[in-house]
Each structure stands twice: as structure tokens, then as C-alpha cells.
Amino acid sequence: MNPEEPTPNPVPNLPVPGTAPASAGTQTVEAPGSAVPEDALRQEYQQLIDEVRKHRAAYYLEDAPLVSDAEFDLLYSRLELIEAQHPAIVANDSPTQEVGGEVSAAFSPVEHLSRMYSLEDVFSLEEVTAWGRKTEANAALRAAGHELKWLCEVKIDGLAVNLLYRHGKLVRAATRGDGATGEDVTHNVLTIKVIPTQLAGEDWPEEVEVRGEIFIPSADFTSYNEALIEAGKAPLANPRNAAAGSLRQKDPAETAKRPLKMFVHGFGVRQGLEAKTQSETYGLMESWGLPVSPYSRVVGTLDEVLSFIKDNGEHRHDLLHEIDGIVVKADSFEIQRNLGFTSRVPRWAVAYKYPPEEVNTVLRDIQVQVGRTGRVTPFGIMDPVLVAGSTVNRATLHNQDVVKAKGVMIGDTVILRKAGDVIPEIVGPVMALRAGNEENLHEFIMPTHCPSCGEPLAPAKEGDVDIRCNNARSCPIQLTERVAHLGGRGAFDIEALGYEAAQALTIGHGPDPEQNHGVITPAGPGTLRNESQVFDLAAGNPDATLRQALAEVKVWREIRSKGSGTGKFALVPYFYSKATAKKESGPTKTTLKLFDELEKAKTKDLWRVLVALSIRHVGPTASRALANRYGSMVAIIEAIGAAGAREALAEIDGVGAIIADALIEWFQIDWHQEIIAAWSAAGVRMQDEQDESILKHLAGMSIVVTGTLPTYSRDAAKEAIIIRGGKAAGSVSKNTSYLVAGEAAGSKLDKAVALGVPVLDEEGFDLLLASGPESVEGRPNPGA
């Protein structure tokens, strides 16, 4: 939520979360001089003050927010709007007149030597530009002839702290609190290993306040939660609340168990410190042994500021920690002094906040879906909500153990997270909202039989957490999932074969959606009995019988009137056009495209064929490794059937023991081999053309590609590495041979430089691929 920095520009007509819409009786804010009754306006204003205070207390004192960041921002913006339009009613104790945050009675209060201010929040690039232009136009700056440069930093989603050092020794640590007074958390901070208790060097001031942010790195947070779930405990909701809760543990030994880190980003009191810019102080801090963020940049124009915001927004999940925005500051201390402060915020800094990736919504039901390998996964059905730029009403819950560990119940208000392109996930319930709602909550019970075919569900083998429908050959929904998968980008990459088309091909229409929402039991008819028939639809197939059968496939479509849905549904043809008095029914353009794309898919590389077979655990990496080693499906089958097959397969880089077992198991099943035989008979190429000119000069090397390369897609770069015998790794380590860094390379580049890993740009990558390691020796390091 970050109400520490809560000053967005007024936004009109914002709804107040948790209240009824205006049509139901809630008063709305109107322009000055409007006819809004004074009593009603004051009542709404006081209600907003109470709501903001309640949510601040929950956020700061209990580390258990009742609303999402986005909902809090709406509340706060509404409050600001009322005050801007009706200044006569502004209360002296309004939350807008305070820095933000509260001080818990559970910890000793600490007065900061200098005030810890909030930052003004903005929510659009237009607001960033307007703020920047206003700052550039400041008369005092023009008169003094100052050169204005911007310091851009990522805004860590953590907990702000103030470290007081005297004679280089850490004597006190405190939370921000209300800006003037914070909570003494010294004993807990002393357990965080990256924070020095004694500064290095000898150029530090006699007394200095160091400001920074306590956080939990994303990878550590994931590992910590996995350990909690494995132990049968409830996982932590998010890194920010986890960091705040960790720092407020009564027992420092408990704090020490949490993977806390810190980055410093400024000073309070700094007696005798001689530095002209804030960016210069970061070098000083680093020389004193303080942890400084690698994610900052000084730029000279607002266009560069906007580029920094855009780049980090696209790669925000590649960083070491969670961020919720970008902080932009005037870098010069003299300019900062000239611009000064308001009562709450500095005029020389602003915080741009990215669209929220966590929101709250109501969990209406928990159902299960069956995947292409039979795995049964619970998922939540929720009130639709906008998160990370898209409207979401479904989210994964992984398996029954995760549902239990997270403690979610049907009817809960839950925290929903969607990070970038990651599948939406229910983080957990908002526990504080359960009180008084217990009678509306229901526990989820995992089904015992497949919702698609009715067969019993069970683990594939003893000890498995996941349960599966083991009726792989005949389960309708598994067939749908496998057909959709073979058309996906990682397999044959058939644009016209998405999930809806796969569903129409396999199960046709389901029950009437007006009567059976969410039911996946098919009512047919579909066309394909199994995926071995897929290429019978290809344009080059001489037998058109199956293609003609598509004319009978129908699906439910919502009836629309004047461009809007009516809520009524009708069965309509999916693959063929509807016959009219003037025109006979025939394949649609999309259907003809499907036929053509299936024909083209027959010539795809062997690794794509392997991915398309839906062998458990066998994805693009393992498939490329197998295709590179054996070159043909015949050779792979022979290797799997040979003595010592498991050991031989497991030794292949990118395969390993688990995938070796999965391969052997899959190829032992008769109907699986029938699929390969049918595809081969239909003309699918089962052997790669060997290019003898490609040398294996990257054998034994681990190469990481990060950022955006102008002439290589990520998959193309990996393919180029693998066919030359190298390993296309996903993370940087001391064993990495080279890092190939494109635009916006991010944290992997930082780590490579720190470890001394050679870094190549695209030109260097081309040389490496063409001529081997000798060709790039002595090249300048782009990351240096």
C-alpha cells in the first residue's frame, strides 16, 4: 500500500472501495459550488478520514492490510479530492496533513534527529512529466543557473528504517513511524547481516542518520514460503508484510530466521559530510560497507526518466526484490535545498507507482481443472477484479496441500497477485475480515473423481503430492489440453490452434452455459478421438473426411445485440460458416488457415515434435538436448530401449534422472507410440537435417542470455547455443562461461560483473557462435 508516500494528484469520480455505487445512495464529490448537501459531504469526509486511519493502523501496526494498495490509493485520492474542492472543511488532523505511518506502543518510541518525509505519489507518466516540468520551471533554479539532473531509483516494496551511527558505530535503528517518531527496532536490525555494526573506512561523519529499506529478496521469499508450506504452516502473504512483521518480532532470534536484506538510499543528519550530489553519497556509503542498491541511474532529461520507468516496469520481476514504482529525485543537494519541502513531502522528489499487482477480491468458489498429463489443480473463482492491467476472475491454488496451508475458504476476501505475465495466484485470505463472516465461509474438499471422465483420482505414485486422473487416453479434458498444447508456441506453434479451437475439435460444445456455469463434462460431439488424428486435418492430407466432419461441430456463443452481450446463448458452427440463402456453408478463413498451418508444422524441428507429445517433465530444454544428441525419433526410441538407458539419458545435460524416467515410462505405452506412427505417416518430419558446418565448439560451456537482442528471440539464442553443444542456462553463477547481455539486461548483468563472468554484446555473441571462445578473447566487457 505504501501510505507512507500518499499524495497522488486529485482524480475526479473515483469510487470509494467498500461502499455502494452512487446510484445506491452514496454521495459523490462535485465541483466547488455544487449542490452537495453540507451535512452529507462532511459525513462522507469524516468516513474517509476514519477509513484511511483504520487502514494505516492495519498496515503499519499489524502488518495485516485490510485492503490492497490500489484500494487504499483510491480512498486517499478521494479524500484529497474533497479537500481540494472544499478547503474550508479540511481538518487539522486529516491524514493528508501527516507524513503517514503510526508508532506501535509495543516498541519504545524514538525521535529521529531529522524528519523522515513521505514522497508525493503519481500514477501516470503524464503526471511524472508534469511534475518534472514544474520543477524545471522553478524560478529559484533559473535564477541560480543550476543544472538539473535526475537521480532515478527503483522503489523497493519494503519497510523504511533509519540507522543512527555515532563515530562509525551503529547505536540505534528505528522505523519511519509518523516521520518524527519511530519504533526502536535496534535489536532486530542487529540480526541482519548485511547491515554493518561498524562502518568501514574513516571518512564518515561523527554522527550520521542513514535511511534505507528493509526487504526480503524475491527468491528467498519464495524458498521461505515453500519451506513453510512443506512444514504445514501458512505462507507469508507478500515480501513487504513479511519484512515488516519480521522486524517487529519480540524475539530477535525469530527475526534472525527471516532472510532480511537492506539497501540504503539517503541520509538524515550528516554532520560535516561534503558531497554535492545524492548519487555521489552512494559511492561514499558503499565505501563504508553499507549495502547500496545497484538499480539507480543519473539522467539529464525527462525523456530518459520515462525510459527508466518503462525499462524497469518491463523487467521488474528480474530484480533481486519486489518494487512498486520508481523514485525520481533532483540529484544536486543545492537544488534540493532551494526547492525545499512542504509540510509532508520534499518538492525535489516524486514516486511513480506502477499499476497494482496485488488486489483484494472475494473468493466465490474453488473448482478443479485437469491438465494434459492428468494433474488435478484447484483454482479459485472470484469476483472479477482489475490487476496488473487485466481483469481476472480465476487464479491457481496449485494443489490441495497449498489450499490447506494458505488457509483459504470459499467466501473469504483474498489477496490476489498477478506479476506481469505470471499466472494469477491467490496469496491468502485477509484474516482480519473473517470476523462476523464465519457462517458464509466453507472449506474446500478435493474431489475424489475426475470432473471430466468420472474416473477415480489418485497420486501417480506413492509419495506424490499431486493427484491425477490416470485415464489419460480416454479423459476428454486431457485430450483437449494436449491438443491445445501441441499447437502452442513451445511446440508446433500453430496460431490457429488455440484452446478454444482445441476444445471444439475434441469435445465440441458443453452443456448450456446459461444453466451450467463452469461445468466441463462434454456434451459433444467433437471430431478428434485422440491427438494422433490432428495431422489428418492438414491441407496436404488426401483424405478430407475428417475435415468435412468439422462442419457439424458447434459451440455456444453469446447472442449480441447492438454490440453488447445479452446473457443468452445459442449453438453455432465453429469451423464452418453459417449457410444463408445466398451462400452455402464452408470452412471459415480461420479454419483454412488451420489446415495450412498444420501442413507447415510437419516440417518443424524434432525438438518441437518431442514437446508436442506432452511427455511429463519434457519441455523445450530437454527436447532440444535430446534432439541435439540423437538427431531422430528412431535414434531416441532405440536409445530408450537399450540396456542402461536410464543412466545414459540422465547423463545428458538438460535431461537428468527424473526426465529419463518419464521418457522411458511414456515410450513403453502402446498408444503413445501409435501417435508417433500416425504423425509420421501423415508426413511429420521425425529427423533433423544435420548441418555438418556447425561445430560443437561450445561443448561444456554454460551461457546465459538476458535482456533484449535486436536480431535474436530468446528461443533462437538458446537454440544457437544448444546446437553448438553448449548449455543455455537461466541463471548466472561462478560456473557461467559467458553472459550475453542485450538491452535492459537487469540483475543478471550486475551479478555477472560482480562474479567476473565475461559479458558479450550481440556482436560478440555472433563471433562466439561462428568461431568459438578464441574469437572473443580480449573483447571489451559491455558490463564493466
Side-chain angles (χ1 to χ4, degrees):
M1 163 162 55
N2 242 337
E4 301 166 3
E5 303 162 358
T7 316
N9 291 347
V11 181
N13 302 322
L14 289 172
V16 178
T19 64
S23 60
T26 301
Q27 293 293 331
T28 58
V29 182
E30 299 183 12
S34 67
V36 176
E38 183 176 347
D39 288 346
L41 179 65
R42 290 184 180 276
Q43 182 179 358
E44 181 185 5
Y45 179 62
Q46 189 57 53
Q47 178 187 356
L48 282 169
I49 288 176
D50 294 342
E51 282 283 297
V52 169
R53 288 199 177 284
K54 178 180 73 174
H55 294 313
R56 275 187 172 175
Y59 186 85
Y60 285 107
L61 301 185
E62 301 169 24
D63 302 314
L66 301 175
V67 295
S68 66
D69 286 10
E71 290 173 302
F72 180 85
D73 288 338
L74 284 175
L75 285 168
Y76 199 92
S77 296
R78 182 82 165 194
L79 182 62
E80 283 193 313
L81 183 61
I82 292 178
E83 293 184 344
Q85 295 181 337
H86 303 276
I89 71 169
V90 177
N92 290 332
D93 64 346
S94 167
T96 65
Q97 308 305 303
E98 302 168 352
V99 169
E102 308 287 343
V103 180
S104 171
F107 292 86
S108 300
V110 171
E111 289 191 16
H112 304 306
L113 302 185
S114 64
R115 188 179 184 88
M116 293 184 73
Y117 284 85
S118 297
L119 292 177
E120 178 181 355
D121 281 351
V122 295
F123 299 88
S124 70
L125 298 182
E126 290 77 15
E127 289 178 284
V128 174
T129 301
W131 175 86
R133 287 175 178 165
K134 179 181 177 182
T135 305
E136 290 176 335
N138 183 279
L141 296 184
R142 291 203 310 270
H146 293 306
E147 181 185 10
L148 181 57
K149 288 189 176 294
W150 305 107
L151 174 60
C152 302
E153 306 171 337
V154 298
K155 185 171 177 291
I156 303 171
D157 196 9
L159 181 71
V161 294
N162 186 37
L163 308 177
L164 177 60
Y165 286 89
R166 289 197 179 112
H167 304 289
K169 182 178 177 61
L170 179 61
V171 296
R172 191 173 69 200
T175 63
R176 181 202 299 271
D178 62 8
T181 304
E183 303 155 324
D184 190 334
V185 288
T186 306
H187 292 298
N188 288 346
V189 165
L190 288 172
T191 69
I192 302 174
K193 295 179 181 179
V194 298
I195 299 176
T197 56
Q198 175 66 49
L199 297 179
E202 36 186 53
D203 297 330
W204 20 263
E206 290 187 8
E207 186 171 63
V208 60
E209 285 182 309
V210 177
R211 272 82 191 264
E213 204 86 5
I214 302 285
F215 64 92
I216 296 180
S218 301
D220 291 340
F221 179 75
T222 300
S223 300
Y224 191 81
N225 262 353
E226 287 173 351
L228 289 177
I229 291 173
E230 190 173 338
K233 298 178 181 178
L236 304 175
N238 57 54
R240 189 272 163 199
N241 290 351
S246 299
L247 209 60
R248 290 193 173 100
Q249 294 290 319
K250 285 295 186 181
D251 182 359
E254 290 300 314
T255 302
K257 295 176 183 178
R258 305 287 177 93
L260 296 174
K261 298 287 190 294
M262 179 184 183
F263 281 146
V264 297
H265 54 58
F267 288 117
V269 164
R270 50 183 187 272
Q271 296 176 358
L273 180 66
E274 294 184 4
K276 293 183 178 180
T277 65
Q278 184 141 354
S279 57
E280 182 184 345
T281 65
Y282 290 171
L284 287 173
M285 289 174 157
E286 197 164 18
S287 71
W288 299 341
L290 291 163
V292 176
S293 172
Y295 310 120
S296 67
R297 184 187 305 165
V298 177
V299 301
T301 68
L302 287 174
D303 283 344
E304 290 175 293
V305 170
L306 299 181
S307 178
F308 186 88
I309 291 172
K310 180 176 180 291
D311 289 347
N312 280 281
E314 292 174 353
H315 296 277
R316 61 189 292 188
H317 301 294
D318 297 331
L319 307 187
L320 295 171
H321 50 70
E322 292 295 314
I323 65 172
D324 59 1
I326 299 294
V327 177
V328 183
K329 306 172 182 176
D331 191 32
S332 164
F333 284 141
E334 188 171 0
I335 290 178
Q336 291 182 11
R337 286 191 293 270
N338 286 339
L339 290 172
F341 297 79
T342 70
S343 61
R344 290 187 312 108
V345 300
R347 293 189 177 92
W348 44 264
V350 74
Y352 167 81
K353 297 186 75 172
Y354 291 117
E357 295 193 313
E358 281 192 1
V359 296
N360 292 355
T361 187
V362 177
L363 179 64
R364 297 298 181 186
D365 196 7
I366 298 177
Q367 297 183 5
V368 297
Q369 60 187 18
V370 184
R372 60 191 171 89
T373 62
R375 180 187 177 195
V376 179
T377 306
F379 66 93
I381 298 176
M382 303 156 298
D383 288 345
V385 63
L386 184 66
V387 56
S390 60
T391 300
V392 173
N393 66 353
R394 294 189 175 201
T396 182
L397 280 162
H398 300 294
N399 58 53
Q400 66 272 29
D401 286 0
V402 171
V403 176
K404 184 177 180 180
K406 289 186 175 183
V408 293
M409 299 184 72
I410 298 167
D412 264 327
T413 296
V414 295
I415 302 166
L416 174 70
R417 178 172 175 78
K418 182 178 183 290
D421 294 329
V422 176
I423 297 171
E425 177 183 11
I426 293 171
V427 177
V430 181
M431 297 298 295
L433 295 179
R434 274 190 175 172
N437 191 44
E438 290 84 357
E439 63 181 23
N440 297 318
L441 303 180
H442 306 284
E443 186 177 353
F444 167 68
I445 299 175
M446 197 73 173
T448 57
H449 290 74
C450 176
S452 179
C453 67
E455 290 293 311
L457 301 177
K461 57 184 178 181
E462 188 177 350
D464 280 0
V465 173
D466 297 323
I467 62 172
R468 297 178 180 275
C469 171
N470 293 305
N471 180 29
R473 187 173 193 176
S474 303
C475 180
I477 196 63
Q478 287 188 62
L479 174 59
T480 299
E481 295 285 342
R482 292 197 300 270
V483 171
H485 171 74
L486 71 86
R489 288 186 180 180
F492 285 120
D493 194 14
I494 301 170
E495 184 181 344
L497 185 53
Y499 191 84
E500 188 179 44
Q503 193 171 37
L505 282 171
T506 53
I507 65 174
H509 65 80
D512 185 345
E514 293 178 43
Q515 306 296 325
N516 296 276
H517 292 284
V519 177
I520 63 173
T521 303
T527 302
L528 302 182
R529 296 187 306 278
N530 57 65
E531 60 266 47
S532 66
Q533 297 176 286
V534 165
F535 287 97
D536 292 343
L537 295 170
N541 181 30
D543 183 1
T545 305
L546 190 63
R547 291 201 299 273
Q548 293 168 353
L550 297 181
E552 304 302 319
V553 175
K554 295 183 179 181
V555 297
W556 290 104
R557 283 275 190 266
E558 186 176 13
I559 300 170
R560 302 182 69 82
S561 176
K562 298 180 180 179
S564 300
T566 63
K568 301 293 183 181
F569 292 79
L571 279 172
V572 298
Y574 184 84
F575 294 102
Y576 274 58
S577 62
K578 190 175 181 180
T580 65
K582 297 182 179 180
K583 190 176 181 180
E584 292 183 1
S585 173
T588 66
K589 289 182 179 179
T590 302
T591 303
L592 292 174
K593 184 178 180 180
L594 172 63
F595 298 159
D596 288 340
E597 288 186 347
L598 281 166
E599 185 64 27
K600 293 175 184 176
K602 295 177 182 180
T603 63
K604 294 290 177 76
D605 293 338
L606 176 62
W607 72 266
R608 290 186 177 275
V609 180
L610 289 167
V611 173
L613 290 172
S614 286
I615 304 170
R616 190 178 176 192
H617 304 304
V618 179
T621 298
S623 294
R624 284 188 176 101
L626 289 163
N628 189 45
R629 171 65 65 89
Y630 296 109
S632 72
M633 187 66 74
V634 170
I636 291 172
I637 293 173
E638 288 177 351
I640 289 172
R646 184 180 188 275
E647 292 73 17
L649 290 166
E651 288 178 358
I652 300 173
D653 190 17
V655 178
I658 292 176
I659 294 177
D661 287 339
L663 284 163
I664 293 169
E665 180 182 337
W666 193 90
F667 277 93
Q668 287 175 341
I669 297 174
D670 290 344
W671 69 271
H672 287 167
Q673 298 213 29
E674 290 172 9
I675 296 171
I676 295 174
W679 286 4
S680 182
V684 176
R685 192 174 70 188
M686 297 285 174
Q687 180 171 336
D688 283 340
E689 296 177 2
Q690 298 297 318
D691 187 347
E692 299 299 333
S693 66
I694 297 178
L695 303 176
K696 302 293 183 180
H697 48 230
L698 302 185
M701 293 186 179
S702 176
I703 300 169
V704 177
V705 179
T706 187
T708 303
L709 299 175
T711 59
Y712 289 90
S713 68
R714 190 63 59 87
D715 284 343
K718 288 182 177 180
E719 181 78 6
I721 294 166
I722 291 170
I723 64 175
R724 289 164 176 81
K727 176 183 179 182
S731 58
V732 176
S733 73
K734 63 181 180 181
N735 297 319
T736 301
S737 304
Y738 295 95
L739 176 84
V740 180
E743 184 181 353
S747 60
K748 291 179 183 177
L749 175 58
D750 298 327
K751 187 172 183 180
V753 172
L755 293 174
V757 172
V759 178
L760 301 176
D761 55 15
E762 183 168 351
E763 183 181 351
F765 185 46
D766 286 335
L767 285 172
L768 179 69
L769 294 176
S771 306
E774 297 80 7
S775 64
V776 295
E777 287 183 2
R779 282 184 63 84
N781 188 335

